[in-house]
Structures are given as structure tokens and as C-alpha cells.
Amino acid sequence: MFDNGKKMMASLALFRKLYKNDNNDVLVLLGDFIKLIIKRNNLYNFTVSKIADLLSKEYDFVIPESVVETSLRKFCHKANGSYYIKDNVILSSANTSDIEQNNEKVIAELACYVEGKINKQLSNEEKGELIQSFCAFIIEDVTQVKYADYISAFIIECQKDTTLREQLKTIKEGVILYTGIKYNDDVADVGSWKNDFTIYLEQEMLFHFVGYNGKLYKRLFDDFVELVREVNRKAKRTVVKLKYFPEVEANIDKFFKVAQRITDGKETLDPSNTAMNTIVEGCEFGGDVLLEKSRFYTLLKESSIEKSDDISIGDKENMPYNIYTSEKEEELKQSINDNLEGIQQSLKFVNYINIHRKNQHFSSLERSKCILLTGNTTTIKVDTSFRKNGNVPYVTTLDFLTNRIWRKLNKGFGNNKYPKSFDIVTKAQIVLSSYVSGSVSNEFEDLKKKHSEGIISKEQAARTLVELKSYMLKPEDINIENTGRALLTISDIEKVTRELDAKRNEYDLTLQKLVTTEGKNRSIEKEKHEIEEELQNKKEELLTERNKSLRIAKHKKNKADKVYRKYNRLMYMCYYILPLVLIGLIIWLIYYYSWDIMEKYTYFLSLLPIVVTIVCNVCFGYSINPKKFLSKMSMRLKHSLYKKYDVDETEIDRLQKLTDCRD
């Protein structure tokens, strides 16, 4: 299997090498590969199917037969259903030895790198798995492969080696050229996009757009959006539209509600959720989150990214195209490791695309009407379960779609102004960052569990949370210097946390040792400074978290106090106004019914307070004290509101004392 991958890598590198020699016609490039096949196999006459099969067998290229036939017409003539080489065509051979040698060097260096990181020699079987994973990582649009974390770190560190870097770049650019052929049955039709096409965006894509997931993701999405705008400018109308499903809007609304709860101190912020961290860091109170949500939707609207209409599967016109069945859902539950809600929603989105396409299957992306753009691995896996070889998928990724539109616009590699996604290092940064994020997320869930079970205190949990936040690395933050740290975080973050706790506990002892040896060893002085600086940074982070907690707690208390004052004032007003109302009512009744009728009732009402006071005193042993009663009711009201708004005065005092001590 990995031999096929190595063969594909060599083919793509050759494809890019031929393209580099001032030959920008992809059909001519494909023709060069076909000529190599004809010469190598000593073919005199041949069919389109035969050539397509040999392209797959010898170069691992899966090319539509219509594209193969278009290429053949450039240097062959057809007779009796078969093609023959024209007399003036020269069949030349290509020297691929240098390409194969460079590929072998990359693979050998990778194996050596991984063995060094895991401190053991790989068996032949493990090396085979590593090569297969590496080929899949480079060639295919997949990230969930074995050794993906080590492969990513290796690619990032390859920037130091010019030969390795250039070979990886060559293969990646070959992938871009190949992508332009794979889902296009009319390769000659380049330069413009003619058919109406809708790209539906999932939540993470929209978050990329506004920058919630970091600068690199925003740059990637901006590159994509700029290509879409160029397509529309060339067409002189909006042929490619960007939309999102109503369910995506509902998910985003839920996301902002969680952000509100976090800023109000009702939930704990997951340090691995980059988008949530970005939103919360810019918001002090829940009201700020609402303003940010409004800004988010305004940006979408201004950029012509619109919500699509609802799709009802039960509608008569949609039912024939429905592929969402309970059987399919059960099948996906068995094969995909994700929660049921995530699988159901992904299946629903894939179903929507099929309904829009009216159950038609296309070999051309441009004619497929629509596609779902996602970064969600569950959605991609659901799509894979429906995918048929050669057909345009229901779902795609940002990398693939950017490549495809780039080739459709007939852009090349002459200047260095091409999308950031074309750089293989970018993919490596994204993958390594996602692994770090997953590791931090798992540790965060374990932390919550330990705190809820009482294994660790609130203070310990808060301290560890600060540590976890410091481990997070956005894709743009990953570089040659910190790949080792990233791999350590992925492999054993719990060990790293324990080591930092131990370092903190031994801090005083370390300082004492440093003091006694001061002046004797400069390196120890430097180590002392580094430890102090690191611990100072941690203290500052902890102080920031503590101040934020205090600010949130005070905000909740102020909110509760405001409501308390309102209701307390109302209660006292009722106490003073109610007797006046009763007196007024009695006067009105006397006036309305006359004194003769009301006289006996007024005597009864005047005696009622005296009787109630005597009964309470004799039977229950307490006297009626209106002020004491009001004070008691006021305290009950305050306690009830503090409980409702989650106000802990003891915790506020504790945090305030800690802050005052710091000051």
C-alpha cells in the first residue's frame, strides 16, 4: 500500500517539475505522462479506458476519461474506436531518478526523526505504516493518520533543510495541479466560472472568517474569499454564493450564550477552545458578548454571507432525494467515534446538499450546484460513507476548495503570491495545533471531574487551569523552536503538569541553594532568574484570573444588590402605604354606605389589631414587632437573590483580601 503512496509522490513531483518548465497547459502535461505510458508499454493502438487504467496503475492518478480523451486528441488520431500516435509526435522519456532519490531522502529522514522522538527503532511494519501515513498526509486532504503529530513536527523542522523543504514544496504544488484535473471533466475550460454554485459554510468556517480561531485560519479563509470574489468579478455577476444553514445559526447562538455564562462566572472557560477564548477575552460582562454577537452577524451580512432558507425533508418535492434514514444513522453510530448529536447534524447537512443536487452525481465540481465547506472531521467521515469514486463529494475542506478555484482561474506559481494553504508547513502547523488542543481539552475535562469529585480544591483547579492555558498553541504560534514542547504536551500533558507542580513546591528550596552558591556559578544564577521569571509569570496569570473572578463576583453582587434594593424599597412602601389605603377605603365606605351602616364594622376593625396582638402573645409567646418583621423579610429577600445570582460573599471577601495583600 505504501509503495503506491511513494509512487504517487513521485508522480506529483514529476507533474510539478514538467509544469515548471514554462508549460502551463495541464492537458499537455497530462499528455506527457500518457506518452511515457505509451512508450514504456510499447502501445501501437489503445482506447481511452486503457490509458486511464494505466495512469491509475503506473502513476496512481485517477483521471476522468473525458479529460484523458481531450488530452489524447492533441497528439493522436482516432480510427475504428482506437487511438493512434500521429506521425510527427516524438515519444520521449523522463528521468525521474533524482525525484525518487529526493523522496527516499525525505522518507529516511522522517523515519530517523520519529525514532529519535519515541526513543526506539521502528520495525519494518511500523516503517511501512509511517510511510503510508506520510504519503496520505502529503497527498490527500486528511489529517487523522497515524504519526500525524510527528509528521507535522518533522515538516515544520524541515524548514532548516533546503533540499527537504523544496522537495515537499514540489510535491504539494503537484497536488494542487492534480486537484485541478480530478473533479473537472473539461480541463480546457479555465479562466472563469460559468455555473451558479453555492458554498455552504459550517460554524468553524464562519469563525475563521471573523478571526476567532486565530490569524492563520483567518488568513486561509481570506485567501479563499478573495478567490471567490475574483470568480464573481470575472463573471460580472454573483455565480458563487456563500451561505450557511439555519442550524449553523442556532449552533452559533448557543455558542454565544455559553460565552455569556462564562463572562458572568457561571461556567468555566475551556482553554482548548480558541474561538471561545477569543470572544471571552474581549468581553468583561454578558452584555459585551451580545455586542460581539451583533458585530459577528453584521460582518457576515456586509460580506454577503447569508443564511439559507429552511429545508423541510417532509416536503413532497424533497422526499425523493432524502438519504437520511434510521439505518444510515445506526451504521454511522457504529463506525464514527463521536456523540450522537454531532453525527445526526452532519448527516442532516450532507442530506441537504443531496436534496439541493436532486440526487444527481457529478464529475465536475462547477456543475455540482453546491457543496458543504467544513473543518469538522465527523462531517467529512459521514460524507466519505456516501462517496463514490470519481464523483464530486458532498463535503470538502478549505484546502481542497482553494486549490480547485485557483486552478479554475488558471493561476500558476510564477510569483509567490499564492494562497497560504499551498504551503505544506501551514497544514503541519494546523494539525500539530489541533493535537495540542485535543490534549489540553482532555486534561481540562479530567480537571473538571477531579474538582467535582472533591479530589482537588478550587484553588488547585484554578492554578492548573492557568497552566493548561499556557500550553495552548495556535497554528501561527508553532515554529521550529517549540515543536518539541508541542509533542510533549500531546504525548503526556499530565506529566508536564505534575512536573510544574513539583517545580513550584521546590521553589523555596531551590532559591536557598541558589543563594548559598551565588557568585560561585554563573549558570545557577541564570537558572534562578529563569525560574523566578517563570514563576512570576505564573503568579501574574493567576493574579489576572483571580482579579477576573473578583470582578465577575462583584458584578453579580452589584446586580443582585440592585434588584434587592428595588424589591426592598417596594416592600417598605407597601408597609407604609397599605394602612393609608385601608383608612382611605374605610372613609370611602362610610361615605358611600353612611355611618349608621358602617359603625359596627368600624368597631370590629378597630378591635382586630388588639385581638391579634393578644392571641399572638398568649398562644404563641411572641409579640408583633413590625420593624423586626420587615427586617427579617428583607434579609430573606437578600439571601434568596444572592442564591439566584450565585453570589458568595465569603468568596468575594477572600478574593478581596488576597488582592489587597498583593497590592
Side-chain angles (χ1 to χ4, degrees):
M1 178 69 181
F2 63 83
D3 285 339
N4 288 340
K6 290 166 72 174
K7 181 171 60 179
M8 181 66 159
M9 284 174 60
S11 302
L12 291 167
L14 179 59
F15 206 179
R16 177 65 182 94
K17 184 179 179 181
L18 293 172
Y19 183 89
K20 195 171 183 179
N21 296 329
D22 299 324
N23 191 349
N24 295 340
D25 189 337
V26 177
L27 285 173
V28 173
L29 291 178
L30 182 60
D32 289 338
F33 277 89
I34 295 172
K35 289 172 188 176
L36 291 172
I37 287 173
I38 294 170
K39 184 173 183 178
R40 189 181 297 123
N41 292 276
N42 296 315
L43 299 178
Y44 174 69
N45 64 340
F46 38 84
T47 62
V48 173
S49 298
K50 175 71 173 176
I51 296 298
D53 289 342
L54 287 171
L55 279 168
S56 176
K57 181 180 177 182
E58 297 191 15
Y59 294 107
D60 217 29
F61 284 164
V62 180
I63 309 292
E65 289 191 6
S66 58
V67 175
V68 174
E69 186 166 24
T70 304
S71 181
L72 284 172
R73 287 179 188 149
K74 289 183 173 289
F75 60 92
C76 297
H77 63 85
K78 189 175 184 181
N80 300 321
S82 295
Y83 280 91
Y84 299 82
I85 295 288
K86 292 178 181 178
D87 295 335
N88 61 341
V89 174
I90 299 174
L91 298 178
S92 59
S93 59
N95 183 11
T96 60
S97 60
D98 58 334
I99 292 173
E100 291 170 357
Q101 285 175 6
N102 287 337
N103 282 352
E104 289 298 334
K105 181 185 177 183
V106 171
I107 290 170
E109 291 283 349
L110 171 64
C112 183
Y113 178 84
V114 173
E115 286 175 341
K117 290 297 180 183
I118 63 176
N119 292 319
K120 77 163 195 173
Q121 191 169 359
L122 295 172
S123 66
N124 288 335
E125 184 180 348
E126 288 171 329
K127 282 185 180 179
E129 286 182 322
L130 176 61
I131 294 169
Q132 183 178 337
S133 295
F134 181 66
C135 295
F137 188 97
I138 296 291
I139 297 165
E140 301 172 28
D141 198 11
V142 294
T143 56
Q144 300 298 313
V145 295
K146 193 172 182 180
Y147 301 111
D149 47 352
Y150 293 110
I151 291 169
S152 299
F154 170 73
I155 290 170
I156 292 167
E157 293 190 30
C158 271
Q159 295 175 81
K160 296 179 290 187
D161 189 312
T162 306
T163 304
L164 294 178
R165 186 179 69 240
E166 288 302 315
Q167 185 64 10
L168 291 174
K169 181 182 176 185
T170 300
I171 296 169
K172 176 63 177 175
E173 291 176 356
V175 172
I176 296 162
L177 294 170
Y178 174 60
T179 302
I181 298 175
K182 193 171 182 181
Y183 295 117
N184 189 0
D185 51 13
D186 190 1
V187 181
D189 183 18
V190 293
S192 63
W193 193 293
K194 297 181 177 64
N195 298 331
D196 287 335
F197 191 76
T198 303
I199 300 170
Y200 292 94
L201 308 172
E202 275 206 283
Q203 176 178 307
E204 289 307 311
M205 294 298 115
L206 298 175
F207 284 176
H208 292 352
F209 173 66
V210 294
Y212 290 163
N213 288 324
K215 294 177 182 177
L216 183 58
Y217 279 118
K218 178 165 175 54
R219 165 76 184 278
L220 295 175
F221 197 85
D222 286 347
D223 288 343
F224 160 72
V225 169
E226 184 52 41
L227 289 174
V228 170
R229 287 171 180 163
E230 186 173 342
V231 164
N232 291 333
R233 281 196 300 270
K234 286 194 172 187
K236 296 182 179 178
R237 66 185 184 90
T238 307
V239 289
V240 178
K241 298 182 180 70
L242 301 178
K243 294 187 177 184
Y244 55 93
F245 294 125
E247 288 86 351
V248 171
E249 182 184 57
N251 291 341
I252 291 170
D253 289 345
K254 287 179 186 176
F255 196 88
F256 277 103
K257 281 184 180 178
V258 173
Q260 275 187 278
R261 291 181 60 80
I262 291 170
T263 52
D264 287 337
K266 296 177 181 177
E267 282 195 32
T268 305
L269 176 62
D270 181 352
S272 69
N273 192 328
T274 304
M276 187 66 78
N277 275 270
T278 303
I279 293 171
V280 171
E281 282 175 7
C283 300
E284 190 171 358
F285 304 117
D288 298 330
V289 175
L290 293 176
L291 290 174
E292 179 58 31
K293 177 183 171 183
S294 175
R295 187 185 77 87
F296 170 79
Y297 281 117
T298 300
L299 281 172
L300 296 186
K301 188 175 180 181
E302 289 174 349
S303 302
S304 300
I305 301 176
E306 304 170 348
K307 182 174 74 170
S308 65
D309 296 331
D310 286 320
I311 300 173
S312 176
I313 299 173
D315 285 355
K316 190 179 290 184
E317 62 269 24
N318 293 334
M319 287 181 68
Y321 315 122
N322 177 48
I323 56 174
Y324 192 129
T325 63
S326 56
E327 292 79 12
K328 187 64 180 179
E329 183 183 300
E330 189 61 35
E331 174 196 324
L332 293 170
K333 279 167 58 181
Q334 301 300 321
S335 60
I336 298 177
N337 183 26
D338 195 5
N339 62 70
L340 179 59
E341 186 180 356
I343 292 171
Q344 288 173 334
Q345 185 156 90
S346 294
L347 182 54
K348 184 185 288 187
F349 290 163
V350 168
N351 191 37
Y352 286 167
I353 298 298
N354 189 65
I355 288 172
H356 280 302
R357 291 182 182 177
K358 299 191 181 301
N359 213 27
Q360 293 176 282
H361 299 289
F362 300 89
S363 58
S364 167
L365 177 68
E366 185 181 351
R367 286 198 283 271
S368 65
K369 299 180 182 178
C370 60
I371 202 163
L372 177 65
L373 181 57
T374 185
N376 187 317
T377 54
T378 298
T379 308
I380 293 169
K381 288 175 182 177
V382 170
D383 171 64
T384 304
S385 71
F386 287 102
R387 195 176 299 179
K388 294 179 181 177
N389 195 29
N391 289 335
V392 177
Y394 296 114
V395 173
T396 190
T397 61
L398 191 57
D399 189 23
F400 173 85
L401 204 52
T402 302
N403 292 353
R404 186 64 193 84
I405 298 175
W406 178 270
R407 282 302 309 144
K408 183 65 181 177
L409 292 170
N410 200 28
K411 291 176 174 284
F413 303 100
N415 54 33
N416 288 319
K417 296 178 181 178
Y418 44 77
K420 182 72 173 171
S421 61
F422 287 10
D423 188 351
I424 189 63
V425 174
T426 298
K427 180 177 181 179
Q429 288 174 306
I430 289 171
V431 173
L432 198 56
S433 174
S434 70
Y435 272 81
V436 171
S437 178
S439 183
V440 171
S441 178
N442 291 337
E443 188 67 15
F444 174 69
E445 292 301 323
D446 187 51
L447 177 68
K448 287 201 299 184
K449 184 179 178 182
K450 285 179 181 177
H451 179 250
S452 65
E453 292 174 355
I455 298 173
I456 59 175
S457 67
K458 188 173 182 179
E459 191 69 27
Q460 287 174 312
R463 191 172 61 196
T464 306
L465 196 61
V466 172
E467 297 285 359
L468 285 177
K469 192 173 181 181
S470 70
Y471 301 149
M472 273 300 296
L473 289 169
K474 294 177 184 177
E476 61 266 25
D477 297 330
I478 295 179
N479 52 47
I480 296 172
E481 283 73 30
N482 61 19
T483 52
R485 171 194 163 190
L487 288 174
L488 185 60
T489 302
I490 295 165
S491 61
D492 197 352
I493 189 172
E494 191 175 353
K495 179 182 176 183
V496 176
T497 307
R498 286 198 306 268
E499 287 175 353
L500 283 169
D501 282 338
K503 183 186 284 188
R504 188 186 296 105
N505 294 333
E506 294 174 4
Y507 174 58
D508 291 334
L509 181 63
T510 304
L511 283 179
Q512 288 175 10
K513 289 180 180 179
L514 288 169
V515 169
T516 58
T517 58
E518 186 178 5
K520 296 180 181 180
N521 194 327
R522 294 284 181 181
S523 62
I524 295 179
E525 182 63 32
K526 183 179 178 182
E527 183 182 349
K528 173 188 173 182
H529 176 72
E530 288 175 351
I531 292 173
E532 288 177 335
E533 187 177 3
E534 181 181 353
L535 289 174
Q536 184 61 33
N537 289 337
K538 298 301 178 187
K539 286 178 182 178
E540 290 297 333
E541 288 179 10
L542 191 58
L543 180 63
T544 302
E545 290 293 325
R546 187 183 292 151
N547 287 339
K548 185 176 180 181
S549 298
L550 178 61
R551 190 169 61 252
I552 291 170
K554 283 185 174 181
H555 174 66
K556 290 191 288 185
K557 184 177 182 299
N558 291 338
K559 201 171 181 181
D561 286 342
K562 186 177 179 180
V563 177
Y564 164 71
R565 286 193 295 270
K566 177 182 174 183
Y567 285 111
N568 196 50
R569 191 162 51 245
L570 186 63
M571 184 172 65
Y572 273 88
M573 284 175 64
C574 290
Y575 171 73
Y576 288 112
I577 292 173
L578 189 59
L580 296 176
V581 171
L582 288 173
I583 292 169
L585 179 62
I586 291 169
I587 292 171
W588 180 81
L589 289 171
I590 292 171
Y591 173 78
Y592 187 80
Y593 290 105
S594 78
W595 172 252
D596 293 335
I597 296 174
M598 292 300 299
E599 184 180 9
K600 55 184 177 182
Y601 295 109
T602 57
Y603 290 141
F604 172 74
L605 289 171
S606 63
L607 289 172
L608 184 62
I610 299 170
V611 173
V612 171
T613 303
I614 293 171
V615 169
C616 288
N617 197 10
V618 174
C619 298
F620 300 103
Y622 64 84
S623 59
I624 294 177
N625 187 332
K627 287 187 177 180
K628 189 176 180 181
F629 173 75
L630 281 174
S631 178
K632 192 173 183 180
M633 289 300 295
S634 179
M635 290 303 296
R636 282 185 180 178
L637 174 64
K638 189 174 188 178
H639 178 74
S640 175
L641 287 170
Y642 275 19
K643 188 174 181 181
K644 179 181 177 182
Y645 287 92
D646 192 26
V647 177
D648 187 344
E649 289 187 288
T650 305
E651 179 67 9
I652 292 173
D653 290 340
R654 187 184 70 82
L655 290 171
Q656 187 65 59
K657 285 177 183 177
L658 287 171
T659 304
D660 293 341
C661 288
R662 169 72 181 182
D663 294 336

